[in-house]
Amino acid sequence: MQGKSTVTQAASHLQLPSELCQIEDPQDVQLIMFASDKETRQVLDALDIQFPNAIKLGIVGAQTPFFNGREFTLLKDSWVYDSGVVGVAFGSCSDKAPGLTSIAGVPKVVYGRLKPISGQYKILKCKGNVILELEQGDGAHSLIAALRKARVEHQGHDSDNRLFARVTCTQDQANNCEAGASESEKVFQITGGNPAKGGLALDTLCDLAPGQLIQFMMLSGSPTSQTATMAAMNSQVCFGADTSAEITCSGNNAQIFGGVSESGFSYGTPISNTNHSKSVFAGSTECAVPGSVVTLELK
């Protein structure tokens, strides 16, 4: 299976397992749930191409070398794997086979420990995952100014040094160039910057676009003092990133399947326009933002 190359990502040649390739009608698959190692990008791309109508939801396993000598421990039937992806695909109900009765909406993500340290800036120039110019100037110096201000305001408080960026899709983009994307915002860790050239890199292999809005953020509170809590009124699938993500159940009939992992989770929504599958607002995404939780409601 071959995808398209972009500035940040080469074309994928990954072949999906025969069990998935032999599904008679890929459009019938509603949900794919899985557990994986940290290298899920090519698998997610292949699933988006083969099953564009399906919701993808998975948890990235914690590493286990000190427990059993394996980098990861993934179980399928009676087999144990130390890498890869294991999961199950759910189709819609039919007379021949049981399936999901109904999915209420799409996966929703809450970032429970992030606080903004700047206003929203419009991206004027970018290439792949690198921001070259904002309306307030270049990305690196805008971030430095926001960080200095935040450190003055929170002097004396312990804080995590990691920095993040909330990228928001404007209404015009949602109606036009980002057609098929069901999310209006995503958060990525800031992984690099060059004060001399002004560039700023985000932790994504998908492409940013001029006109999108960006807001710089940092973590607030310790992992034990703040939680991102998802309350379930119906049946839900919930995955959380690190131990600061807490999943609770409220309501007498609520049922939850899920868990938390220090390595985060992956999620993807149906893609109605595959031409924009490399955009940050289309296709599946990995998320390891501390305290974040993804939830999918089932009826």
Side-chain angles (χ1 to χ4, degrees), residues 81-129:
Y81 302 91
D82 56 11
S83 64
V85 178
V86 296
V88 59
F90 295 91
S92 57
C93 283
S94 68
D95 295 335
K96 297 181 180 179
L100 293 177
T101 54
S102 179
I103 298 176
V106 295
K108 297 185 183 344
V109 182
V110 172
Y111 304 97
R113 287 184 56 207
L114 291 181
K115 62 180 179 182
I117 60 173
S118 75
Q120 285 190 320
Y121 306 135
K122 182 180 289 187
I123 298 175
L124 298 183
K125 291 176 62 178
C126 57
K127 189 173 184 179
N129 67 328

Side-chain angles (χ1 to χ4, degrees), residues 255-274:
Q255 295 181 333
I256 289 182
F257 173 83
V260 296
S261 168
E262 62 188 9
S263 301
F265 52 82
S266 302
Y267 68 100
T269 56
I271 305 171
S272 60
N273 188 342
T274 55

Side-chain angles (χ1 to χ4, degrees), residues 17 42 54-56 60 79 85 107 112 129 143 171 206 212 226 242 252 256 283:
Q42 288 194 6
I55 290 172
K56 295 89 182 176
V60 181
W79 297 93
V85 178
N129 67 328
L143 174 60
Q171 189 60 45
C206 295
Q212 292 171 350
Q226 288 209 16
D242 87 21
N252 296 329
I256 289 182

